[in-house]
mmCIF file with all atom_site columns, all heavy atoms in Angstrom:
data_model
loop_
_atom_site.group_PDB
_atom_site.id
_atom_site.type_symbol
_atom_site.label_atom_id
_atom_site.label_alt_id
_atom_site.label_comp_id
_atom_site.label_asym_id
_atom_site.label_entity_id
_atom_site.label_seq_id
_atom_site.pdbx_PDB_ins_code
_atom_site.Cartn_x
_atom_site.Cartn_y
_atom_site.Cartn_z
_atom_site.occupancy
_atom_site.B_iso_or_equiv
_atom_site.pdbx_formal_charge
_atom_site.auth_seq_id
_atom_site.auth_comp_id
_atom_site.auth_asym_id
_atom_site.auth_atom_id
_atom_site.pdbx_PDB_model_num
ATOM 1   N N   . ARG A 1 19 ? 85.630 88.801 111.473 1.00 0.00 ? 41 ARG A N   1
ATOM 2   C CA  . ARG A 1 19 ? 86.738 87.987 110.866 1.00 0.00 ? 41 ARG A CA  1
ATOM 3   C C   . ARG A 1 19 ? 86.934 86.628 111.470 1.00 0.00 ? 41 ARG A C   1
ATOM 4   O O   . ARG A 1 19 ? 87.284 85.638 110.761 1.00 0.00 ? 41 ARG A O   1
ATOM 5   C CB  . ARG A 1 19 ? 88.004 88.780 111.065 1.00 0.00 ? 41 ARG A CB  1
ATOM 6   C CG  . ARG A 1 19 ? 88.292 89.688 109.910 1.00 0.00 ? 41 ARG A CG  1
ATOM 7   C CD  . ARG A 1 19 ? 89.673 90.236 109.990 1.00 0.00 ? 41 ARG A CD  1
ATOM 8   N NE  . ARG A 1 19 ? 89.855 91.132 111.106 1.00 0.00 ? 41 ARG A NE  1
ATOM 9   C CZ  . ARG A 1 19 ? 90.823 92.000 111.307 1.00 0.00 ? 41 ARG A CZ  1
ATOM 10  N NH1 . ARG A 1 19 ? 91.618 92.166 110.372 1.00 0.00 ? 41 ARG A NH1 1
ATOM 11  N NH2 . ARG A 1 19 ? 90.832 92.669 112.333 1.00 0.00 ? 41 ARG A NH2 1
ATOM 12  N N   . GLY A 1 20 ? 86.786 86.533 112.834 1.00 0.00 ? 42 GLY A N   1
ATOM 13  C CA  . GLY A 1 20 ? 86.874 85.179 113.432 1.00 0.00 ? 42 GLY A CA  1
ATOM 14  C C   . GLY A 1 20 ? 85.988 84.206 112.852 1.00 0.00 ? 42 GLY A C   1
ATOM 15  O O   . GLY A 1 20 ? 86.396 82.956 112.562 1.00 0.00 ? 42 GLY A O   1
ATOM 16  N N   . ASP A 1 21 ? 84.721 84.520 112.676 1.00 0.00 ? 43 ASP A N   1
ATOM 17  C CA  . ASP A 1 21 ? 83.767 83.627 112.151 1.00 0.00 ? 43 ASP A CA  1
ATOM 18  C C   . ASP A 1 21 ? 84.110 83.255 110.595 1.00 0.00 ? 43 ASP A C   1
ATOM 19  O O   . ASP A 1 21 ? 83.980 82.099 110.207 1.00 0.00 ? 43 ASP A O   1
ATOM 20  C CB  . ASP A 1 21 ? 82.376 84.139 112.169 1.00 0.00 ? 43 ASP A CB  1
ATOM 21  C CG  . ASP A 1 21 ? 81.852 84.219 113.630 1.00 0.00 ? 43 ASP A CG  1
ATOM 22  O OD1 . ASP A 1 21 ? 82.387 83.545 114.510 1.00 0.00 ? 43 ASP A OD1 1
ATOM 23  O OD2 . ASP A 1 21 ? 80.740 84.863 113.886 1.00 0.00 ? 43 ASP A OD2 1
ATOM 24  N N   . LEU A 1 22 ? 84.540 84.304 109.860 1.00 0.00 ? 44 LEU A N   1
ATOM 25  C CA  . LEU A 1 22 ? 84.922 84.136 108.475 1.00 0.00 ? 44 LEU A CA  1
ATOM 26  C C   . LEU A 1 22 ? 86.070 83.222 108.410 1.00 0.00 ? 44 LEU A C   1
ATOM 27  O O   . LEU A 1 22 ? 86.142 82.272 107.607 1.00 0.00 ? 44 LEU A O   1
ATOM 28  C CB  . LEU A 1 22 ? 85.162 85.425 107.890 1.00 0.00 ? 44 LEU A CB  1
ATOM 29  C CG  . LEU A 1 22 ? 85.582 85.367 106.399 1.00 0.00 ? 44 LEU A CG  1
ATOM 30  C CD1 . LEU A 1 22 ? 84.501 84.721 105.567 1.00 0.00 ? 44 LEU A CD1 1
ATOM 31  C CD2 . LEU A 1 22 ? 85.920 86.777 105.894 1.00 0.00 ? 44 LEU A CD2 1
ATOM 32  N N   . ALA A 1 23 ? 87.045 83.422 109.234 1.00 0.00 ? 45 ALA A N   1
ATOM 33  C CA  . ALA A 1 23 ? 88.273 82.495 109.318 1.00 0.00 ? 45 ALA A CA  1
ATOM 34  C C   . ALA A 1 23 ? 87.872 81.090 109.525 1.00 0.00 ? 45 ALA A C   1
ATOM 35  O O   . ALA A 1 23 ? 88.341 80.117 108.958 1.00 0.00 ? 45 ALA A O   1
ATOM 36  C CB  . ALA A 1 23 ? 89.335 83.108 110.316 1.00 0.00 ? 45 ALA A CB  1
ATOM 37  N N   . GLU A 1 24 ? 86.950 80.939 110.598 1.00 0.00 ? 46 GLU A N   1
ATOM 38  C CA  . GLU A 1 24 ? 86.561 79.543 110.849 1.00 0.00 ? 46 GLU A CA  1
ATOM 39  C C   . GLU A 1 24 ? 85.864 78.869 109.697 1.00 0.00 ? 46 GLU A C   1
ATOM 40  O O   . GLU A 1 24 ? 86.136 77.767 109.360 1.00 0.00 ? 46 GLU A O   1
ATOM 41  C CB  . GLU A 1 24 ? 85.543 79.544 112.071 1.00 0.00 ? 46 GLU A CB  1
ATOM 42  C CG  . GLU A 1 24 ? 86.276 79.804 113.399 1.00 0.00 ? 46 GLU A CG  1
ATOM 43  C CD  . GLU A 1 24 ? 87.165 78.650 113.809 1.00 0.00 ? 46 GLU A CD  1
ATOM 44  O OE1 . GLU A 1 24 ? 86.823 77.510 113.549 1.00 0.00 ? 46 GLU A OE1 1
ATOM 45  O OE2 . GLU A 1 24 ? 88.207 78.914 114.413 1.00 0.00 ? 46 GLU A OE2 1
ATOM 46  N N   . LYS A 1 25 ? 85.034 79.670 108.939 1.00 0.00 ? 47 LYS A N   1
ATOM 47  C CA  . LYS A 1 25 ? 84.237 79.143 107.862 1.00 0.00 ? 47 LYS A CA  1
ATOM 48  C C   . LYS A 1 25 ? 85.254 78.784 106.725 1.00 0.00 ? 47 LYS A C   1
ATOM 49  O O   . LYS A 1 25 ? 85.135 77.678 106.140 1.00 0.00 ? 47 LYS A O   1
ATOM 50  C CB  . LYS A 1 25 ? 83.245 80.094 107.368 1.00 0.00 ? 47 LYS A CB  1
ATOM 51  C CG  . LYS A 1 25 ? 82.426 79.572 106.207 1.00 0.00 ? 47 LYS A CG  1
ATOM 52  C CD  . LYS A 1 25 ? 81.443 80.470 105.761 1.00 0.00 ? 47 LYS A CD  1
ATOM 53  C CE  . LYS A 1 25 ? 80.675 79.871 104.584 1.00 0.00 ? 47 LYS A CE  1
ATOM 54  N NZ  . LYS A 1 25 ? 79.430 80.337 104.253 1.00 0.00 ? 47 LYS A NZ  1
ATOM 55  N N   . VAL A 1 26 ? 86.227 79.651 106.411 1.00 0.00 ? 48 VAL A N   1
ATOM 56  C CA  . VAL A 1 26 ? 87.159 79.406 105.412 1.00 0.00 ? 48 VAL A CA  1
ATOM 57  C C   . VAL A 1 26 ? 88.040 78.075 105.733 1.00 0.00 ? 48 VAL A C   1
ATOM 58  O O   . VAL A 1 26 ? 88.282 77.292 104.890 1.00 0.00 ? 48 VAL A O   1
ATOM 59  C CB  . VAL A 1 26 ? 88.102 80.582 105.142 1.00 0.00 ? 48 VAL A CB  1
ATOM 60  C CG1 . VAL A 1 26 ? 89.264 80.286 104.264 1.00 0.00 ? 48 VAL A CG1 1
ATOM 61  C CG2 . VAL A 1 26 ? 87.270 81.656 104.536 1.00 0.00 ? 48 VAL A CG2 1
ATOM 62  N N   . GLU A 1 27 ? 88.435 78.071 106.971 1.00 0.00 ? 49 GLU A N   1
ATOM 63  C CA  . GLU A 1 27 ? 89.188 76.840 107.493 1.00 0.00 ? 49 GLU A CA  1
ATOM 64  C C   . GLU A 1 27 ? 88.421 75.599 107.290 1.00 0.00 ? 49 GLU A C   1
ATOM 65  O O   . GLU A 1 27 ? 89.001 74.608 106.790 1.00 0.00 ? 49 GLU A O   1
ATOM 66  C CB  . GLU A 1 27 ? 89.705 77.022 108.890 1.00 0.00 ? 49 GLU A CB  1
ATOM 67  C CG  . GLU A 1 27 ? 90.755 78.155 109.031 1.00 0.00 ? 49 GLU A CG  1
ATOM 68  C CD  . GLU A 1 27 ? 91.051 78.415 110.492 1.00 0.00 ? 49 GLU A CD  1
ATOM 69  O OE1 . GLU A 1 27 ? 90.402 77.891 111.421 1.00 0.00 ? 49 GLU A OE1 1
ATOM 70  O OE2 . GLU A 1 27 ? 91.962 79.290 110.678 1.00 0.00 ? 49 GLU A OE2 1
ATOM 71  N N   . GLU A 1 28 ? 87.187 75.624 107.689 1.00 0.00 ? 50 GLU A N   1
ATOM 72  C CA  . GLU A 1 28 ? 86.282 74.421 107.519 1.00 0.00 ? 50 GLU A CA  1
ATOM 73  C C   . GLU A 1 28 ? 86.247 73.980 106.087 1.00 0.00 ? 50 GLU A C   1
ATOM 74  O O   . GLU A 1 28 ? 86.296 72.819 105.802 1.00 0.00 ? 50 GLU A O   1
ATOM 75  C CB  . GLU A 1 28 ? 84.964 74.629 108.128 1.00 0.00 ? 50 GLU A CB  1
ATOM 76  C CG  . GLU A 1 28 ? 84.965 74.660 109.625 1.00 0.00 ? 50 GLU A CG  1
ATOM 77  C CD  . GLU A 1 28 ? 83.620 75.177 110.185 1.00 0.00 ? 50 GLU A CD  1
ATOM 78  O OE1 . GLU A 1 28 ? 82.580 75.172 109.450 1.00 0.00 ? 50 GLU A OE1 1
ATOM 79  O OE2 . GLU A 1 28 ? 83.563 75.518 111.351 1.00 0.00 ? 50 GLU A OE2 1
ATOM 80  N N   . GLU A 1 29 ? 86.037 74.961 105.139 1.00 0.00 ? 51 GLU A N   1
ATOM 81  C CA  . GLU A 1 29 ? 85.944 74.628 103.760 1.00 0.00 ? 51 GLU A CA  1
ATOM 82  C C   . GLU A 1 29 ? 87.232 74.152 103.250 1.00 0.00 ? 51 GLU A C   1
ATOM 83  O O   . GLU A 1 29 ? 87.257 73.139 102.389 1.00 0.00 ? 51 GLU A O   1
ATOM 84  C CB  . GLU A 1 29 ? 85.557 75.935 102.982 1.00 0.00 ? 51 GLU A CB  1
ATOM 85  C CG  . GLU A 1 29 ? 84.167 76.332 103.215 1.00 0.00 ? 51 GLU A CG  1
ATOM 86  C CD  . GLU A 1 29 ? 83.686 77.646 102.545 1.00 0.00 ? 51 GLU A CD  1
ATOM 87  O OE1 . GLU A 1 29 ? 84.564 78.182 101.789 1.00 0.00 ? 51 GLU A OE1 1
ATOM 88  O OE2 . GLU A 1 29 ? 82.542 78.050 102.787 1.00 0.00 ? 51 GLU A OE2 1
ATOM 89  N N   . GLN A 1 30 ? 88.405 74.675 103.671 1.00 0.00 ? 52 GLN A N   1
ATOM 90  C CA  . GLN A 1 30 ? 89.716 74.135 103.226 1.00 0.00 ? 52 GLN A CA  1
ATOM 91  C C   . GLN A 1 30 ? 89.944 72.707 103.688 1.00 0.00 ? 52 GLN A C   1
ATOM 92  O O   . GLN A 1 30 ? 90.460 71.851 102.978 1.00 0.00 ? 52 GLN A O   1
ATOM 93  C CB  . GLN A 1 30 ? 90.897 75.086 103.745 1.00 0.00 ? 52 GLN A CB  1
ATOM 94  C CG  . GLN A 1 30 ? 90.876 76.335 103.017 1.00 0.00 ? 52 GLN A CG  1
ATOM 95  C CD  . GLN A 1 30 ? 91.916 77.289 103.605 1.00 0.00 ? 52 GLN A CD  1
ATOM 96  O OE1 . GLN A 1 30 ? 92.060 77.468 104.866 1.00 0.00 ? 52 GLN A OE1 1
ATOM 97  N NE2 . GLN A 1 30 ? 92.610 78.035 102.783 1.00 0.00 ? 52 GLN A NE2 1
ATOM 98  N N   . ILE A 1 31 ? 89.537 72.409 104.948 1.00 0.00 ? 53 ILE A N   1
ATOM 99  C CA  . ILE A 1 31 ? 89.655 71.038 105.455 1.00 0.00 ? 53 ILE A CA  1
ATOM 100 C C   . ILE A 1 31 ? 88.790 70.160 104.642 1.00 0.00 ? 53 ILE A C   1
ATOM 101 O O   . ILE A 1 31 ? 89.221 69.039 104.317 1.00 0.00 ? 53 ILE A O   1
ATOM 102 C CB  . ILE A 1 31 ? 89.407 71.039 106.943 1.00 0.00 ? 53 ILE A CB  1
ATOM 103 C CG1 . ILE A 1 31 ? 90.520 71.785 107.677 1.00 0.00 ? 53 ILE A CG1 1
ATOM 104 C CG2 . ILE A 1 31 ? 89.207 69.699 107.474 1.00 0.00 ? 53 ILE A CG2 1
ATOM 105 C CD1 . ILE A 1 31 ? 90.256 71.958 109.177 1.00 0.00 ? 53 ILE A CD1 1
ATOM 106 N N   . GLU A 1 32 ? 87.536 70.529 104.381 1.00 0.00 ? 54 GLU A N   1
ATOM 107 C CA  . GLU A 1 32 ? 86.695 69.669 103.649 1.00 0.00 ? 54 GLU A CA  1
ATOM 108 C C   . GLU A 1 32 ? 87.241 69.458 102.203 1.00 0.00 ? 54 GLU A C   1
ATOM 109 O O   . GLU A 1 32 ? 87.147 68.319 101.645 1.00 0.00 ? 54 GLU A O   1
ATOM 110 C CB  . GLU A 1 32 ? 85.284 70.300 103.485 1.00 0.00 ? 54 GLU A CB  1
ATOM 111 C CG  . GLU A 1 32 ? 84.254 69.507 102.680 1.00 0.00 ? 54 GLU A CG  1
ATOM 112 C CD  . GLU A 1 32 ? 84.125 68.087 103.148 1.00 0.00 ? 54 GLU A CD  1
ATOM 113 O OE1 . GLU A 1 32 ? 84.212 67.756 104.433 1.00 0.00 ? 54 GLU A OE1 1
ATOM 114 O OE2 . GLU A 1 32 ? 83.769 67.186 102.394 1.00 0.00 ? 54 GLU A OE2 1
ATOM 115 N N   . CYS A 1 33 ? 87.739 70.420 101.636 1.00 0.00 ? 55 CYS A N   1
ATOM 116 C CA  . CYS A 1 33 ? 88.350 70.331 100.247 1.00 0.00 ? 55 CYS A CA  1
ATOM 117 C C   . CYS A 1 33 ? 89.523 69.308 100.375 1.00 0.00 ? 55 CYS A C   1
ATOM 118 O O   . CYS A 1 33 ? 89.698 68.508 99.554  1.00 0.00 ? 55 CYS A O   1
ATOM 119 C CB  . CYS A 1 33 ? 88.963 71.691 99.665  1.00 0.00 ? 55 CYS A CB  1
ATOM 120 S SG  . CYS A 1 33 ? 87.598 72.750 99.025  1.00 0.00 ? 55 CYS A SG  1
ATOM 121 N N   . GLY A 1 34 ? 90.265 69.383 101.386 1.00 0.00 ? 56 GLY A N   1
ATOM 122 C CA  . GLY A 1 34 ? 91.412 68.517 101.615 1.00 0.00 ? 56 GLY A CA  1
ATOM 123 C C   . GLY A 1 34 ? 90.919 67.067 101.674 1.00 0.00 ? 56 GLY A C   1
ATOM 124 O O   . GLY A 1 34 ? 91.507 66.145 101.250 1.00 0.00 ? 56 GLY A O   1
#
Side-chain angles (χ1 to χ4, degrees):
R41 266 192 297 200
D43 289 346
L44 178 60
E46 286 291 324
K47 182 175 178 164
V48 168
E49 289 173 355
E50 289 173 14
E51 289 175 4
Q52 287 174 319
I53 290 171
E54 180 58 29
C55 286

